[in-house]
Amino acid sequence: MAAKIVVVGHVNGQLQSVFTKLSALHNKQSFSLALITGNLFSEEDEVVAGLLAGKISVPLPTYFTVASKPLPKSIIEKIENDEEICENLHFLGKRNTTKTSDGVKIVTLGGQLDPNVTGGMSKEQHLPFHTLGDAKALHGAHSADILLTTEWPVSIRKGSKIELPDGVVDPTGHDYIADLCATLKPRYHFSSSDFFYEREPFFHPPATDAPDAKLLTRFISIATYGNTAKQKSIYAFNLQPSADPFAELPLGTTASPFTTTGPRGAKRQPLDSDPYSRYTNGDGGHRHRGGKRQRRQPPPGPDQCFFCLSNPTLATHLISSIGEDAYLTIAKGPLTTSTTNAGVGVNFPAHALIIPLTHSPTIAQIPEDDRAKSFAEMNNFKAALQSMVADLSNNRLGAVTYEISLGRGVHTHWQFLPMPEDQIRKGLVEAAFRVEAENHNYPKFEARDPGIGQDDGDFFRVWIWTPPSEDEAEGSTKCLTMQFDDSVRFNLQFGRTALAKLLGLEKRIQWRDCSQTVEEETKDIEAFKAAFKAFDFTL
């Protein structure tokens, strides 16, 4: 059944008027939801107080974000305390992915670009500024029914025959907004302005595995509510549950106006509905008391995934660097501590995760057009980390990077840890992994690197890197790979366990037992960033 949606531009505090209008429309049309594309509030005033006191009624589920004005303090307090603002009024967040009860997926990037921040993501959700990192993070949402941005995309009017109203200056668009739209390919992209503008629909370049499919986007900018020019400030439409990419194109449809865009690629393969991963109850489908098999929960989507930047609850303060196709973060509950390698010049844990931006259980399942780029950038991060620990330790530290490539997993990633150079040269690191495999009766390791792993099924891989020496100026890498099938219930703590035993850190095998305060985590990430800066190719 189609969702009936009504969209409003800047309200600027005219709450009583706009909700009275929406109530009248809702009584006639029975809308599923309302969406505010611009500023809902103006300032902290008696109107806001009346809303919170229940004197102003919101007639239907209404979603809003932050646009060009900061939210009122009393509204921020409600949001930060996780309290309902009032019945039917929902804050989307500034950088967020939301799925409504009607199944409508809304991706939001509110606010304007912050010229004072050159990297990373904004720390709060309430000020009207975002960063390039915020926009990059939303690429991990992969798709959207509705994309909501305060800013316009660059070149949106390219190829269009729709004129702007008389006297209106063409708004300044942004490349990163165009990249976001091109990546997500939303069915509707809404923004707000002082005037109304609806571009002709445009289709995105087809994916390589579906050359006849054409995904359509409609870009619409809504005028300010109550504007004196009588520009359209309320827009209603029906959103079907899904779009047919092979349907006949509407009259007037153009090619995409974006010449510089984000990743182009096939739709990612669906995740297995029965994964064994850190997100499940960990029972592997075994029977419990009473002989009943517990029902598995479906794998989380990007907005709930521990490793997706589009997850609004992600610990973004741990992130060091965001590239084009992957990002780098320090580990939560690290195996090593700030004292583990302090004697050789590394006075922070240096336990890091290298994570592709694409939400995929394996590298091989990343869409074809992005797969090689993701793998290459992850390797670039690995090489940069190796150089960092070697430089800080005067080549007394090498490194281990390991991966669990599990087709039934959720979001693949690599774990990086510095290791004493002498333990690597003596073969103790390799032996630790081989012995731990024998302890679990796992298949034997092979000395090979499966690369992207396109034809290798499930496997565990570890790169053991020896730092430079007089004989090897660039150092050397040995890769061990263990391939396994569905008969093996693989322990997701295998790699950490092997290294913990070797380093005498058995009490730190479980990351949850190594939790830190936010202050401790902040201290570690600041030390990590300072050390990694000279090797960070994303800057």
Side-chain angles (χ1 to χ4, degrees), residues 397-414:
L397 287 176
V400 162
T401 305
Y402 65 85
E403 168 195 15
I404 302 172
S405 182
L406 192 63
R408 296 172 296 162
V410 177
H411 194 140
T412 190
H413 57 283
W414 298 351

Side-chain angles (χ1 to χ4, degrees), residues 271-272 275-277 279 299 360-362 365 405-412:
L271 300 180
D272 192 303
Y276 171 71
S277 76
Y279 297 91
S360 178
T362 68
Q365 291 189 51
S405 182
L406 192 63
R408 296 172 296 162
V410 177
H411 194 140
T412 190

